[in-house]
Amino acid sequence: MTINSTFKTLAIIALLSGVSSHASADSNNQSEGKAPKAASSEVSHKFWNSFFDLTSLKTSFIDTTPEDKNDAIPVGKLGVDGGDKDMIVKLANEMAEGKFGDFDSLLIAHRDKLVFESYFRRGRIDLPHPQSSATKAYTSMAIGRAIQMGYLSMADLNKPVISFLKDLDPTKLVEGTENITLHKAMTMTSGLKISDESKKEYETSPDLLKGQGLVQAFLTNTAPITKASQTHDYKPYDPQIVMQVLDAVVPGSAENFIKTELLDKIGIENYGWRKDASGLPRGPSGSSMTSRNMLKWGMLTKNKGKWNGTQLVGEDFIAKATGKIIEINEDDIFFTTENITKPGYGYYWWQADIKIGDKSYFTTSAQGGGGQYIILIDELDLIIVTTAHARNIRPLKVTANEILQAFTQ
């Protein structure tokens, strides 16, 4: 997208006042100086199949003094509460031009305050954005919440998943499935190997996949589980199994537990979460969150599981989930560069070191294909949220090359 002369003028205003005006596909729903909202015809576009039908914003929105929405997110001013205002606004303008791909939003929180908020293309402040695999991180936090409430324990992470799933027929389980622990499933190291032929076969009987039938299908059709097979393999089966364990141990259902014990607690009402063949919320992907609500997930994690003084998720679980459990070869992962190194994986959270100058910073991040990222850099007291809709988006690279310098000078 090429910036027109009108937007160039607005960008200059943004540098001076912190806000650029905008317009959307339905300008009647917009207010001057306000972040773009979804038009009435757009409110249902919260999943990928309809999200691509959204019309791009006519003019991007850039705000260095985010509005206090009374949504439990403290706000500040970029440049006053930290960060180089000119550098970040320049970056946002380049994002609007498409220099870094099809970004839809960029939010930055520094020292516990939202200091920068911007929306491009399909970004709307009130429209939940498809999250893809960032959903896995939310699934992880749900397990952490169950542990905090006593429905599971940290010791239970090392128990076989089949010990929690009482509706399975053990006579049909493949050899070695008893070695799939909750820990293994949450690090994507279950060892499940299901052929395309087997998958097609059990998918022809959807009624048999309801409830724990889906896990039964996985554990009946996999190749034998061995120590050699239990290596990091980024397949959807593991988070689906973890969601089944959550559903089995909490009162009511996993869906209701996630809503009442996490989403409601941190004030997330505007969201979507699709279900898989079992009828449970999808563990690997399928949720939709607004950018501000993504920031709330980041705030909860950065604050070691506390929200407004209440410990929703235990500190020990947060440390485990966001720490590097699995070391990943740099040549085997897409986001490494010469200054993004030492990739790793925790409980559905990614890790990497980002180098700027002679200094390296440890990062942990929730990552969703297409550019849905929540990046935490504790040493700099930074949370960076991005949404986008293209496979070539590289938020960690943008963070390393463009954002960190604004907060390390």
Side-chain angles (χ1 to χ4, degrees):
M1 179 174 69
T2 302
I3 296 182
N4 57 32
S5 59
T6 300
F7 184 71
K8 288 180 179 178
T9 302
L10 293 170
I12 295 173
I13 296 174
L15 288 169
L16 298 175
S17 67
V19 181
S20 75
S21 298
H22 60 86
S24 80
D26 186 349
S27 59
N28 293 330
N29 281 0
Q30 308 305 318
S31 299
E32 189 72 15
K34 300 289 186 180
K37 292 186 175 181
S40 57
S41 60
E42 298 174 338
V43 293
S44 63
H45 290 52
K46 62 178 65 173
F47 296 112
W48 279 122
N49 61 345
S50 60
F51 187 76
F52 281 92
D53 294 331
L54 276 174
T55 302
S56 288
L57 296 171
K58 294 178 182 177
T59 311
S60 299
F61 174 83
I62 299 171
D63 193 351
T64 61
T65 57
E67 182 181 355
D68 186 348
K69 298 286 186 180
N70 196 29
D71 58 0
I73 296 177
V75 297
K77 295 182 179 181
L78 184 64
V80 175
D81 293 299
D84 187 303
K85 179 178 173 181
D86 291 349
M87 291 177 67
I88 296 300
V89 171
K90 177 178 180 291
L91 167 64
N93 288 334
E94 291 174 341
M95 281 184 165
E97 289 180 305
K99 179 177 178 180
F100 304 101
D102 291 331
F103 275 94
D104 295 318
S105 71
L106 169 65
L107 278 65
I108 302 174
H110 185 46
R111 297 171 183 162
D112 298 318
K113 292 180 180 179
L114 175 63
V115 296
F116 184 76
E117 185 172 20
S118 57
Y119 297 94
F120 321 98
R121 298 173 185 82
R122 294 179 171 89
R124 312 286 192 269
I125 191 171
D126 61 341
L127 182 62
H129 195 291
Q131 294 293 287
S132 297
S133 286
T135 303
K136 294 181 177 69
Y138 312 147
T139 300
S140 173
M141 297 296 277
I143 291 292
R145 179 61 176 152
I147 292 173
Q148 181 67 16
M149 295 185 72
Y151 300 121
L152 288 167
S153 69
M154 290 295 287
D156 285 338
L157 293 168
N158 294 314
K159 290 183 179 179
V161 294
I162 60 175
S163 67
F164 303 102
L165 305 175
K166 305 305 183 183
D167 295 339
L168 300 179
D169 182 351
T171 66
K172 297 181 179 179
L173 303 184
V174 168
E175 180 183 357
T177 52
E178 70 278 4
N179 295 319
I180 302 175
T181 62
L182 191 53
H183 170 88
K184 290 287 187 181
M186 293 188 67
T187 53
M188 306 293 274
T189 58
S190 69
L192 287 172
K193 306 288 183 184
I194 302 174
S195 68
D196 290 341
E197 293 75 13
S198 294
K199 186 178 178 181
K200 288 178 182 178
E201 184 175 346
Y202 66 67
E203 286 179 342
T204 60
S205 302
D207 289 344
L208 298 179
L209 303 180
K210 297 299 182 183
Q212 294 179 20
L214 183 63
V215 181
Q216 183 79 59
F218 292 164
L219 303 186
T220 301
N221 289 279
T222 182
I225 305 299
T226 65
K227 186 176 181 179
S229 73
Q230 289 192 302
T231 57
H232 185 74
D233 190 7
Y234 205 70
K235 295 284 178 30
Y237 312 120
D238 292 16
Q240 288 177 288
I241 292 174
V242 168
M243 186 65 74
Q244 291 275 351
V245 171
L246 180 69
D247 189 70
V249 301
V250 299
S253 65
E255 180 180 13
N256 185 65
F257 181 82
I258 291 170
K259 179 185 183 302
T260 60
E261 293 300 334
L262 269 178
L263 297 171
D264 287 354
K265 300 289 187 186
I266 63 178
I268 295 179
E269 298 178 353
N270 184 14
Y271 71 96
W273 204 312
R274 287 187 162 176
K275 297 179 181 180
D276 63 24
S278 72
L280 273 59
R282 286 182 52 80
S285 62
S287 71
S288 298
M289 301 282 164
T290 67
S291 299
R292 279 198 171 213
N293 285 340
M294 291 172 69
L295 178 59
K296 288 184 178 183
W297 286 107
M299 291 165 59
L300 176 65
T301 307
K302 174 187 174 294
N303 293 325
K304 304 185 188 308
K306 270 190 178 179
W307 188 264
N308 289 336
T310 300
Q311 196 76 47
L312 296 182
V313 181
E315 287 191 33
D316 50 354
F317 181 84
I318 293 289
K320 189 84 171 177
T322 60
K324 189 184 297 184
I325 299 172
I326 304 295
E327 299 275 353
I328 298 176
N329 190 311
E330 292 185 9
D331 294 333
D332 293 338
I333 199 67
F334 65 93
F335 58 71
T336 56
T337 66
E338 62 179 13
N339 57 354
I340 303 173
T341 60
K342 300 180 181 177
Y345 201 66
Y347 286 159
Y348 302 147
W349 288 81
W350 295 89
Q351 297 78 40
D353 287 355
I354 292 183
K355 185 177 181 181
I356 176 169
D358 296 328
K359 174 71 174 176
S360 288
Y361 298 92
F362 178 80
T363 71
T364 190
S365 55
Q367 298 187 13
Q372 328 328 313
Y373 278 54
I374 305 170
I375 303 168
L376 308 181
I377 309 175
D378 284 348
E379 189 172 349
L380 296 175
D381 214 342
L382 273 179
I383 306 174
I384 299 160
V385 167
T386 66
T387 59
H389 60 273
R391 299 299 297 182
N392 62 346
I393 295 293
R394 296 291 181 264
L396 279 179
K397 184 176 180 180
V398 171
T399 296
N401 295 346
E402 311 294 335
I403 297 177
L404 285 196
Q405 188 175 354
F407 290 90
T408 55
Q409 289 185 337

